[in-house]
Amino acid sequence: MSSLKVQNATVQIGEKTLLDDVSITVTPGEVVTVLGPNGAGKSTLMKVISGERKPSSGSVILNDREDWRLEQQALMLGVLPQSSSLSFPFTVEEVVILGRIPCATDRTENLAIVEAALNEVDGLHLKDRQYTTLSGGERQRVHMARVLAQIWNELDFGKRYLLLDEPTSALDPAHQQLTLKMARKQAEKGVGVLVILHDLNLAARYSDRLVILKEGGIAAQGTPHEVLTVETVKAVFNVDVTISEHPAHHCPLVINN
């Protein structure tokens, strides 16, 4: 079965262990969210999966293989980093079409996909704006559209995966909801989605499975109901909470005491 699989990944820098024997699997059609306090290893895990950092030990297996050519991997793995920097006066359309560079499609199709991707993130009205004039939240949405455009097409050689590193951090509440609804929509299309979040309630509402990291290792892993317990939240985040059930969405609702 196709999947994105991290097997026993460890990252050490000198005496410090950033990631300690972590194993995670993301299957097509599900949203998996990684949670944890600052310094828990979340961004290191994302860098390992994306290929930005090589693990000291362990492996990352993408659709049953470790040896994909870079141009193939780029069509299967879309990565939205925690921050993206761009200082050239490109239009938003020009920024988003950069995501189509690995794709063997003509300009007409590429422009149609750019428009559709911007529409997904509620950014179509920004298409002709200069990127450098945008707010932080608008820039984040543009980069989301760029990543979506990159993995837009279904493939005959492998399933697609979307990696989102704190995608809601620069967004207002309405666009936080929009971004995670978009992630769920991608999962419904058969894309595997891995998200890093800080908000426990957003994670509970939009995720199929949660992975909680603490000090580089996995503290808990499972469904939101299995993972979000009073004991686990206290042990990992050092916060006293009450866990209820969301009256509308029937997922855990974490309330600070």
Side-chain angles (χ1 to χ4, degrees), residues 83-148:
S83 61
S84 301
S85 177
L86 182 64
S87 57
F88 298 105
F90 291 167
T91 66
V92 165
E93 182 179 65
E94 289 170 333
V95 173
V96 178
I97 206 169
L98 293 174
R100 298 298 297 168
I101 289 174
C103 310
T105 46
D106 62 30
R107 181 169 175 80
T108 299
E109 183 176 348
N110 287 343
L111 288 173
I113 289 170
V114 165
E115 189 165 309
L118 281 168
N119 194 52
E120 285 282 299
V121 302
D122 191 30
L124 190 55
H125 62 288
L126 302 172
K127 185 176 74 168
D128 298 318
R129 289 268 304 275
Q130 279 200 354
Y131 174 84
T132 52
T133 68
L134 303 181
S135 69
E138 288 170 335
R139 293 182 183 194
Q140 183 81 333
R141 285 151 56 197
V142 169
H143 285 293
M144 174 72 78
R146 174 181 56 79
V147 174
L148 286 179

Side-chain angles (χ1 to χ4, degrees), residues 147-176:
V147 174
L148 286 179
Q150 178 184 327
I151 61 167
W152 193 266
N153 302 96
E154 290 191 41
L155 307 168
D156 57 9
F157 56 82
K159 297 294 186 179
R160 297 163 295 156
Y161 303 88
L162 182 61
L163 309 183
L164 306 175
D165 190 351
E166 297 191 30
T168 61
S169 59
L171 302 180
D172 59 55
H175 284 98
Q176 289 179 6

Side-chain angles (χ1 to χ4, degrees), residues 164-232:
L164 306 175
D165 190 351
E166 297 191 30
T168 61
S169 59
L171 302 180
D172 59 55
H175 284 98
Q176 289 179 6
Q177 298 278 357
L178 176 72
T179 297
L180 293 171
K181 286 178 181 176
M182 181 278 304
R184 280 245 56 102
K185 185 176 178 180
Q186 292 301 307
E188 289 164 8
K189 293 179 179 179
V191 176
V193 182
L194 181 69
V195 190
I196 290 177
L197 291 176
H198 277 291
D199 190 309
L200 302 184
N201 286 315
L202 284 176
R205 178 174 171 182
Y206 290 101
S207 308
D208 298 297
R209 289 190 295 115
L210 304 179
V211 178
I212 297 186
L213 296 183
K214 180 183 180 183
E215 297 177 353
I218 293 180
Q221 185 169 192
T223 66
H225 280 102
E226 292 169 338
V227 168
L228 291 177
T229 65
V230 170
E231 295 78 15
T232 297

